[in-house]
Amino acid sequence: MCERCQDSARWTLRRRSFLKILGSAGAAGMLGSGLESEAAYADALTKAQRDEMSPSEIIDVMKKGNERFRSGVRQNRNYLNEQKASASGQYPAAVLLSCIDSRAPAEVIMDLGLGDIFNCRVAGNVANPDILGSMEFACKLAGAKVVLVMGHTACGAIKGAIDNAELGNLTGLLDKIKPAVQATNYSGERSAKNYSFVDAVARTNVQMTLDNIRKNSAVLSDLEAKGTIKIVGAMYNLETATLEFLN
Ligand SMILES: [Zn+2]
């Protein structure tokens, strides 16, 4: 059992449970002799495990998962076991809103497994009533404790909004990002060719999306006020693989 596995907070209780099962059996060789069903059960986040974690602990697990990802030491997970263990029910710990960018899949960059998080994806990670409804389902009905809005560097949607790109339905989507372009204080070149500006707008866009969620979802803002959930933002850096959590 590696130290990293032990350090990766309660989310990986399922791992520890799994390893504990092996440990109490005395040897890994016990697998295949009646322990497989228990092992499979331990491969998915259970309701009890999710419910005993605080929102801050869940955020910590996501941070540690990103540390593993960017250091190249990922958990040795078995997706098929996770699929079997989660097929009869899901108890995700968080709901994410992230961009569709192919290089920023949340579960991969935070080293998470099946059933760990709900994931809403839309170019430029902007909220709308359907996204808010999905988040309300995730938190109020399904018990997720963290709402995470994740932007990323060099975002094509942000560049498109800066450039006033127009294309079919994309035009309307980019219109939702444009207020972030206007609201970004930046003294240098305000163009899509300036990645520093693009990333500054992406940060503003995350903050404005968080504001939108709080303003337009009484369900989520009430849960946040009670301390039941945390609503947080983050920026993922495509070049360094670092996920930086914002305040
Ligand atoms: Zn993007």
Side-chain angles (χ1 to χ4, degrees), residues 37-99:
S37 59
E38 281 183 275
Y41 178 76
D43 253 317
L45 197 56
T46 67
K47 184 175 187 302
Q49 288 165 355
R50 190 270 311 273
D51 288 351
E52 77 171 16
M53 284 188 289
S54 69
S56 296
E57 285 172 328
I58 291 165
I59 292 167
D60 200 41
V61 169
M62 293 194 278
K63 288 179 181 175
K64 286 197 163 82
N66 176 249
E67 285 171 17
R68 288 195 304 276
F69 170 69
R70 67 176 190 263
S71 63
V73 186
R74 302 187 60 195
Q75 280 198 26
N76 182 24
R77 60 176 72 254
N78 182 320
Y79 283 125
L80 200 55
N81 282 353
E82 292 184 0
Q83 173 268 321
K84 287 173 183 163
S86 61
S88 60
Q90 62 168 342
Y91 308 101
V95 55
L96 265 66
L97 171 56
S98 59
C99 183

Side-chain angles (χ1 to χ4, degrees), residues 98-101 103 122-125 151-158:
S98 59
C99 183
I100 62 169
D101 195 289
R103 300 160 294 179
V122 61
N125 42 271
H152 69 96
T153 60
C155 179
I158 300 291

